[in-house]
Amino acid sequence: MSAKLTNEEITRRGFLGWGFAVLAGMVSFAIFVLSTLRMPLPSLLPGKSGRFRIGRKADFPPGTARYFEEEQTYVFADTDGVFAISAVCTHLGCIVGKEERQFVCPCHGSYYDLSGKVKSGPAPKNLQWFKIVKTPGGRLVVERSKRVAPGTKYLV
Ligand code: FES
């Protein structure tokens, strides 16, 4: 046995159903926006300058590991010399983070060893190495526009 609905009940039910659909859509959209904002942003643009000073040779004793955030570059020193590696992931340009024994991309999970070699994808290529030169005044300069083969170091 079914009860007959009045016009007023039908209208109220229709309104509640429509209102619920609108509310569910708004909640879904808000969740989408918030989850998108929480994603790490890719760095598709290069740093401000192709060249930047990092200091003097004495500022980089063996074992040094420094990150130059604005230039998106890691600079390391070992007993052979000083070297600079790009922090820009070769997949879609996110900034890789340095862990004790590797670089990790937070966007899609690529791993690189500390020489910038891809350990696991989706990154298609190794991290770039940049040339380091010394100015006449004795300061070391990283030239981001001049790429060098992995393993190329400024000799100390
Ligand atoms: S941007 Fe680094 S893995 Fe996708």
Side-chain angles (χ1 to χ4, degrees):
M1 183 170 153
S2 66
K4 270 202 150 205
L5 299 174
T6 65
N7 281 345
E8 184 181 318
E9 287 173 325
I10 292 171
T11 302
R12 187 173 54 221
R13 283 185 179 197
F15 175 77
L16 289 176
W18 180 83
F20 179 75
V22 169
L23 181 64
M26 290 170 61
V27 169
S28 297
F29 182 72
I31 290 171
F32 168 77
V33 169
L34 290 175
S35 59
T36 301
L37 291 175
R38 289 189 58 207
M39 289 179 63
L41 296 176
S43 174
L44 298 176
L45 299 173
K48 283 183 179 175
S49 168
R51 293 171 50 102
F52 64 98
R53 279 189 247 169
I54 58 174
R56 296 183 180 278
K57 200 168 68 175
D59 299 331
F60 293 89
T64 299
R66 288 177 54 191
Y67 179 56
F68 292 84
E69 185 173 354
E70 189 171 329
E71 295 81 8
Q72 303 163 339
T73 302
Y74 289 97
V75 177
F76 300 94
D78 62 18
T79 53
D80 296 330
V82 181
F83 53 103
I85 300 177
S86 172
V88 179
C89 180
T90 58
H91 179 225
L92 293 178
C94 288
I95 301 303
V96 299
K98 181 186 170 300
E99 295 183 345
E100 188 177 346
R101 297 180 180 202
Q102 63 192 357
F103 295 107
V104 180
C105 181
C107 292
H108 311 105
S110 288
Y111 287 84
Y112 303 85
D113 68 17
L114 286 184
S115 71
K117 184 176 179 186
V118 176
K119 290 168 59 180
S120 67
K125 296 187 294 187
N126 299 334
L127 296 175
Q128 294 292 325
W129 282 52
F130 301 127
K131 185 174 186 176
I132 296 178
V133 297
K134 188 163 105 180
T135 66
R139 299 194 186 276
L140 299 181
V141 173
V142 174
E143 297 189 341
R144 284 182 52 93
S145 59
K146 295 185 179 165
R147 295 174 177 175
V148 295
T152 304
K153 300 176 184 179
Y154 177 81
L155 302 180
V156 290

